[in-house]
């Protein structure tokens, strides 16, 4: 006789295993869905207005569709499915009966106590054998008894009796725990029965082969080759190669726009018949005569740009370029499908612009770099090259902008127009065929919320040093205030806010940038928390995405036309630019960028470009000079800063006199009128801590 003991708890272990694996996948997904969003476009404040432009519904629908895609619908469905599987597993665990191995005990089988004597055992077994002998017992259907179960029970009684009376059987029981001697046992894997059933093995092997041999390599390969197919800017590598071939050292804004149409992404969107569908309508609309100027067409491109479009063969690139010009020129296409396609090309073109900008930065030529930043501005604001910056304001069109500018040889910037006296501004903008009173108020309302960063001071410094040394780590410090266009009664800037205070040597939080150091009310340095305040989202009603503005600062060599220091990007302010009522705070913002100083001493003059990538005409361009001092001069300055001799009436002075030295005489007290002179002297010494690079800044307009 033999028996097979199985220690796998089928129906318990397997659901628990699935429950654990599902939880490891579901809980992180649930956390990512429930946690607060960290995207700038979701957290940034918005410009308060209810203005909706013409074609605004189409742009808004695309903007809403993009938000829905960002809500991770697929991840939410996977999370719900995971929770459903976890619920089913919990139900199976609670309802499935637990199987437990039972130790074979002859006393329990016979139903006698462990202290029974051999005589009592024999007597009790005799009574049971008379009762349960197969020849005498009859099955009871009410108790679910069968002949087989009764026979098995009688066999167990006999084994139990022999284990207690027969010497050999008793030895087996004592040594192995069973009258038949050592028993075999099995450790089963907790799997559903249909997996281990006869005939299903080949299907299980086939499933494993598909998962491990086909699906897993496919997923890994798709991920790997997907990363190779796209650049870090998110565009196809083939598109980046095409933009590389389109690059020109003297590229201007219209050249960049032409280059963007070469993206491989457009061939996917406008494949087959889509490339020619509606192309003639688009080209006829964008090539119509312009009412604003005779030198350009309705969409704003020049004769050269039109010829470049016509030289393209029929295909996706020509349609993409035509739609892009229609978007920039705000051309009405009177067709729902074409209007939707017109707005859809803008985000793709902007992504390609990022790739073109990376190529321009690699070459280092200033003109293509600035043209790439301008392309981003014009795409976000839906403006054609040469168009008036006033079109960024609501209700503005080419006729109204031309009327406002009058006989001016150049376009008005937004700040120039809103900076006019109200009477003059109203005279130019309000009237028949121009803006109404309500529209004029909307213009002023939105203009007063635009984050125009006015640069107050720019200088170089080395933390903890009084001068800039060759090859040292230099900080370019930019101090500015957000002054919306047309703001009246701008307060004077506090000179203390324009200083950059070095952190204490033992202040690790300030040194590592987790906190910042400022001057307290008593003039002593204090450490405060570093704020990260988002500016309002860009007012761009025609762009089908929510986008926060960014500021890029870089240095160039005006003589060579080359970039000297790559751009640093700033997305946050360290002070609130607007209060809760939407009014400007005029708080001084500090922007810092670090780079290595030139390896030789001398005077270096750069051009500082501070560019806002979301608004046209909000850029600043100033000359700035860096004085790099020789190391020998720096050592001399360091010697001058050594600790002076102790005073004669101090303990240190008396110790110095006993040693034979000459203690420094105690300085005479100054008159009260000399306090101001002393403060002036201190401020001059503090100014020496930075390179003499303070300049008057002017907007690049």
């Amino acid at each position: 006789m033999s028996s097979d003991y199985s220690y796998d708890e089928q129906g318990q272990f397997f659901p628990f295993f699935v429950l654990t694996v599902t939880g490891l996948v579901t809980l992180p997904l649930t956390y990512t869905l429930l946690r607060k969003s960290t995207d700038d476009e979701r957290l940034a404040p918005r410009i308060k207005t209810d203005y909706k432009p013409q074609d605004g519904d189409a742009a808004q629908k695309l903007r809403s569709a993009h938000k829905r895609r960002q809500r991770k619908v697929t991840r939410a469905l996977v999370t719900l499915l995971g929770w459903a599987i976890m619920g089913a597993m919990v139900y199976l665990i609670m309802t499935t009966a637990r199987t437990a191995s039972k130790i074979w005990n002859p006393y329990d089988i016979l139903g006698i106590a462990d202290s029974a004597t051999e005589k009592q055992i024999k007597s009790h077994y005799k009574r049971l054998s008379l009762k349960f002998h197969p020849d005498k017992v009859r099955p009871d259907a009410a108790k679910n008894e069968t002949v087989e179960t009764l026979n098995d029970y009688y066999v167990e009684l006999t084994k139990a009796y022999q284990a207690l009376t027969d010497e050999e059987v008793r030895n087996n029981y004592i040594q192995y725990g069973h009258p038949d001697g050592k028993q075999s046992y099995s450790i089963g894997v907790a799997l559903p029965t249909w997996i281990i059933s006869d005939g299903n093995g080949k299907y299980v092997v086939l499933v494993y082969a598909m998962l491990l041999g086909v699906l897993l390599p496919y997923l890994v390969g798709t991920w790997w080759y997907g990363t190779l197919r796209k650049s870090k800017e998110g565009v196809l590598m083939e598109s980046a190669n095409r933009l590389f071939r389109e690059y020109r050292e003297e590229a201007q804004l219209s050249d960049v726009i032409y280059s963007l149409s070469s993206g491989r992404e457009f061939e996917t969107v406008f494949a087959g018949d889509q490339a020619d569908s509606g192309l003639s309508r688009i080209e006829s609309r964008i090539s119509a005569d312009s009412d604003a100027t005779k030198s350009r067409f309705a969409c704003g491109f020049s004769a050269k740009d039109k010829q470049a479009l016509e030289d393209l063969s029929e295909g996706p690139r020509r349609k993409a370029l035509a739609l892009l010009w229609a978007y920039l020129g705000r051309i009405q296409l009177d067709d729902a499908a074409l209007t939707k396609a017109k707005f859809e090309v803008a985000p793709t073109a902007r992504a390609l612009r990022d790739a073109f900008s990376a190529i321009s930065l690699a070459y280092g030529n200033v003109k293509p770099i600035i043209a790439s930043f301008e392309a981003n501005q014009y795409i976000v604001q839906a403006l054609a090259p040469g168009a008036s910056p006033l079109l960024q304001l609501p209700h503005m069109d080419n006729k109204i902008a031309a009327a406002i500018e009058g006989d001016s040889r150049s376009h008005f910037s937004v700040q120039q127009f809103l900076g006019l006296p109200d009477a003059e501004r109203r005279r130019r903008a309000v009237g028949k065929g121009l803006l109404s009173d309500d529209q004029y108020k909307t213009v002023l309302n939105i203009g007063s919320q635009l984050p125009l960063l006015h640069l107050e001071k720019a200088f170089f410094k080395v933390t903890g040093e009084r001068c800039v040394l060759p090859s040292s780590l230099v900080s370019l410090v930019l101090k500015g205030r957000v002054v919306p266009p047309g703001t009246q009664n701008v307060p004077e800037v506090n000179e203390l806010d324009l200083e950059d205070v070095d952190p204490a040597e033992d202040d690790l939080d300030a040194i590592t940038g987790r906190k910042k150091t400022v001057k307290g009310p008593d003039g002593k340095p204090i450490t405060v928390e570093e704020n990260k305040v988002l500016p309002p989202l860009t007012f761009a009603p025609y762009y089908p995405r929510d986008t926060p503005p960014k500021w890029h600062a870089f240095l160039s060599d005006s003589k060579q036309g080359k970039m000297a220091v790559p751009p640093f990007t700033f997305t946050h302010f360290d002070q609130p630019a607007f209060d809760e009522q939407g009014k400007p705070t005029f708080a001084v913002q500090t922007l810092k960028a670090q780079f290595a100083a030139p390896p030789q001493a001398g005077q270096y003059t750069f051009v500082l470009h501070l560019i806002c990538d979301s608004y046209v005409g909000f850029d600043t361009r100033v000359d700035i000079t860096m004085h790099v001092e020789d190391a020998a001069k720096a050592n001399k300055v360091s010697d001058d800063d050594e600790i002076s001799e102790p005073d004669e009436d101090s303990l240190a002075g008396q110790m110095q006199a006993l040693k034979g030295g000459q203690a420094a005489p105690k300085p005479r007290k100054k008159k009260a009128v000399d306090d101001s002179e002393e403060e002036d002297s201190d401020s001059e010494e503090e100014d020496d801590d930075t390179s003499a690079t303070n300049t008057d800044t002017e907007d690049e307009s």
Side-chain angles (χ1 to χ4, degrees):
M1 298 181 183
S2 65
S3 179
D4 185 14
Y5 289 95
S6 178
Y7 294 97
D8 61 333
E9 297 183 356
Q10 305 224 6
Q12 289 291 332
F13 178 78
F14 180 72
F16 180 76
F17 174 77
V18 176
L19 178 64
T20 304
V21 175
T22 307
L24 292 175
V25 177
T26 304
L27 292 179
L29 292 177
T30 305
Y31 171 75
T32 58
L33 290 173
L34 296 179
R35 70 178 180 181
K36 188 176 181 180
S37 175
T38 57
D39 297 336
D40 289 351
E41 57 268 23
R42 294 181 181 271
L43 301 178
R46 297 177 180 272
I47 291 179
K48 300 176 181 179
T49 180
D50 55 356
Y51 168 72
K52 292 183 179 180
Q54 192 175 12
D55 276 352
D57 292 340
Q60 180 60 36
K61 288 180 180 179
L62 292 176
R63 196 178 296 117
S64 301
H66 178 68
K67 290 181 180 178
R68 287 193 297 270
R69 288 194 296 270
Q70 286 186 323
R71 288 171 188 162
K72 309 166 187 173
V73 177
T74 303
R75 185 174 297 178
L77 294 177
V78 173
T79 303
L80 293 176
L81 178 61
W83 280 111
I85 294 176
M86 290 182 67
M89 293 299 103
V90 170
Y91 174 77
L92 288 176
I93 291 175
M94 295 178 63
T95 57
T96 302
R98 179 181 296 272
T99 59
S101 58
K102 186 177 180 180
I103 299 177
W104 193 86
N105 191 333
Y107 292 100
D108 292 340
I109 297 174
L110 293 175
I112 59 177
D114 295 347
S115 59
T117 62
E118 183 175 353
K119 182 178 179 180
Q120 293 174 338
I121 294 173
K122 291 181 178 180
S123 175
H124 183 72
Y125 172 72
K126 186 175 182 180
R127 290 195 299 270
L128 292 177
S129 63
L130 292 175
K131 180 179 179 181
F132 293 102
H133 194 280
D135 295 338
K136 296 181 178 181
V137 70
R138 295 291 181 267
D140 187 356
K143 298 180 180 180
N144 293 325
E145 293 178 347
T146 62
V147 175
E148 290 78 10
T149 59
L150 293 176
N151 289 338
D152 293 339
Y153 181 67
Y154 184 75
V155 171
E156 288 296 317
L157 290 175
T158 304
K159 287 182 180 180
Y161 172 71
Q162 292 176 349
L164 298 178
T165 57
D166 187 273
E167 183 177 358
E168 181 180 357
V169 177
R170 185 181 181 88
N171 291 334
N172 288 337
Y173 169 67
I174 295 174
Q175 186 176 0
Y176 300 109
H178 198 276
D180 294 334
K182 186 177 181 179
Q183 300 294 299
S184 64
Y185 67 94
S186 63
I187 300 177
V189 180
L191 294 174
T193 55
W194 60 268
I195 292 181
I196 58 178
S197 298
D198 294 339
N200 292 343
K202 55 185 178 182
Y203 301 110
V204 174
V205 173
L206 179 62
V207 171
Y208 273 100
M210 293 294 294
L211 291 176
L212 301 179
V214 179
L215 183 60
L216 182 60
Y218 172 77
L219 294 177
V220 174
T222 302
W223 168 79
W224 175 252
Y225 289 107
T227 57
L228 296 180
R229 290 177 63 246
K230 289 190 175 183
S231 65
K232 64 179 182 179
E233 290 80 19
V235 302
L236 297 174
M237 292 301 300
E238 185 176 350
S239 300
N241 293 334
R242 294 180 181 181
L243 292 172
F244 177 81
R245 292 192 292 268
E246 294 283 343
Y247 175 83
R248 300 292 181 271
E249 291 186 0
E250 300 294 325
Q252 297 180 353
L253 177 56
S254 59
D255 299 323
V256 176
I257 294 174
Y258 177 81
S259 301
L260 299 183
S261 63
S262 63
R264 176 71 173 78
E265 288 80 357
F266 294 121
E267 295 182 6
T268 304
V269 177
F270 305 121
D273 296 338
Q274 293 293 327
D276 299 330
S277 177
L279 182 59
S280 59
R281 175 196 288 266
I282 302 171
E283 292 186 352
S284 63
R285 293 293 180 91
I286 64 177
S287 301
D289 294 334
S290 173
D291 297 333
T293 174
K294 296 181 180 179
S295 61
R296 292 182 178 269
F297 296 90
C299 70
F301 63 19
S302 62
K304 177 183 176 182
D305 300 324
K306 179 184 178 183
Q307 186 61 44
L309 174 64
E310 294 176 348
D311 290 342
L312 291 174
S313 59
E314 299 288 338
R317 180 173 184 179
R318 182 164 181 170
K319 184 171 184 178
L321 183 57
L323 285 171
L324 185 56
W325 279 113
Y327 167 78
L328 296 174
R330 303 181 184 180
I331 302 299
Q332 301 294 321
L333 299 179
D334 299 332
D335 183 272
L338 294 179
T339 299
K340 180 181 179 182
K342 178 184 71 173
F343 287 108
E344 285 178 338
V345 299
T348 305
R350 192 181 176 197
L352 293 168
R353 198 277 335 169
D354 295 339
F356 185 88
S357 178
I359 296 172
S360 302
L361 292 174
Y363 277 100
N365 297 303
V366 174
K367 287 186 177 180
I369 293 174
I370 295 180
S372 66
F373 283 121
E374 289 178 346
N376 194 86
Q377 297 171 347
Y378 280 78
I379 291 174
V380 171
Q381 292 296 332
L383 292 182
S388 173
L390 297 181
L391 297 181
Q392 298 174 100
L393 297 173
H395 304 296
M396 287 287 182
D397 57 23
N398 291 320
K399 291 182 179 180
I400 298 177
I404 292 174
E405 294 166 351
D407 297 333
S408 176
R409 294 184 178 181
S410 60
H411 290 304
F412 277 17
S413 65
V414 174
Q415 49 269 41
Q416 284 177 323
F417 168 62
L418 296 180
L420 294 173
D422 185 69
E424 176 66 15
R425 190 171 56 217
R426 182 178 289 273
R427 183 188 67 82
R428 290 173 177 260
V430 179
K432 186 177 181 180
L434 302 176
L435 298 176
S436 64
D437 288 336
D438 292 339
Q439 292 174 340
Y440 178 72
K441 292 178 181 178
T442 303
V443 169
L444 298 183
N445 175 48
I446 292 180
S448 64
Q449 301 179 68
L450 299 181
L452 173 60
L453 184 61
H454 183 267
L455 188 62
E456 301 288 349
K457 187 178 181 181
F459 56 90
F460 300 103
K461 67 169 294 184
V462 177
T463 303
E465 300 292 341
R466 299 187 60 173
C467 57
V468 178
L469 300 178
S471 302
S472 60
L473 185 61
V474 182
S475 294
L476 171 61
V477 183
L478 307 178
K479 297 283 187 175
R481 296 188 296 173
V482 174
V483 182
T487 303
Q488 303 295 327
N489 303 321
V490 180
E492 293 292 333
V493 64
N494 187 353
E495 293 297 329
L496 294 178
D497 293 336
L498 298 181
E499 297 181 8
D500 189 70
V501 184
D502 289 337
E505 295 182 357
D506 58 348
D507 194 344
L508 296 179
D509 289 336
I511 293 175
T512 56
R514 291 192 294 267
K515 295 183 179 180
K516 66 177 182 178
T517 305
V518 298
K519 279 192 175 182
D522 56 354
K524 295 182 179 180
I526 59 174
T527 302
V528 297
E529 293 292 336
E530 182 74 23
N531 295 325
K532 289 187 177 181
V533 183
L534 287 169
L537 289 178
T538 304
F539 176 73
Y542 292 96
Y543 187 68
R545 296 286 189 276
D546 286 336
T547 175
K550 300 178 182 178
W551 284 263
H552 307 270
F554 71 96
L555 301 177
S556 67
D557 187 344
S558 59
K559 296 181 180 180
Q560 299 182 2
K562 289 285 188 177
M563 177 184 63
V565 177
F568 293 88
T569 302
F570 305 97
T571 59
H572 297 74
F573 292 144
D574 61 345
Q575 298 291 333
F578 298 90
D579 58 18
E580 296 179 356
Q581 288 73 33
K583 296 181 180 180
T585 62
F586 304 109
V588 174
Q589 312 291 344
T590 302
L591 308 178
K592 286 187 178 182
Q594 290 185 329
F595 58 94
Q600 291 85 22
Q603 180 174 306
Y604 298 86
T605 301
F606 303 102
V607 178
L608 169 63
H609 301 267
L610 182 59
I611 300 177
C612 178
D613 69 349
S614 301
Y615 294 100
V616 177
F618 279 25
D619 306 333
T620 302
R621 181 180 182 273
V622 296
D623 294 331
I624 185 170
T625 304
M626 176 190 294
H627 296 279
V628 181
E629 304 293 348
D630 193 0
K633 182 177 179 181
N635 293 333
K636 182 179 180 181
V637 172
S638 177
D639 293 339
D640 294 339
D641 291 340
E642 291 294 332
I643 300 175
S644 61
E645 295 293 335
D647 296 338
E648 60 184 8
D649 59 347
S650 65
L651 179 61
Q654 295 175 11
M655 294 293 292
Q656 180 74 8
L658 291 175
K659 293 179 181 179
Q662 181 67 32
K666 185 178 181 180
R668 293 177 299 174
K669 294 183 179 180
K670 294 185 179 181
K671 298 181 181 180
V673 295
D674 294 337
D675 292 343
S676 61
E677 296 178 2
E678 185 178 358
E679 292 176 1
D680 293 340
S681 176
D682 292 340
S683 63
E684 291 175 0
E685 290 180 0
E686 291 174 359
D687 291 342
D688 291 340
D689 291 344
T690 61
S691 180
T693 55
N694 301 340
T695 60
D696 294 331
T697 59
E698 297 180 358
D699 290 340
E700 193 180 60
S701 59

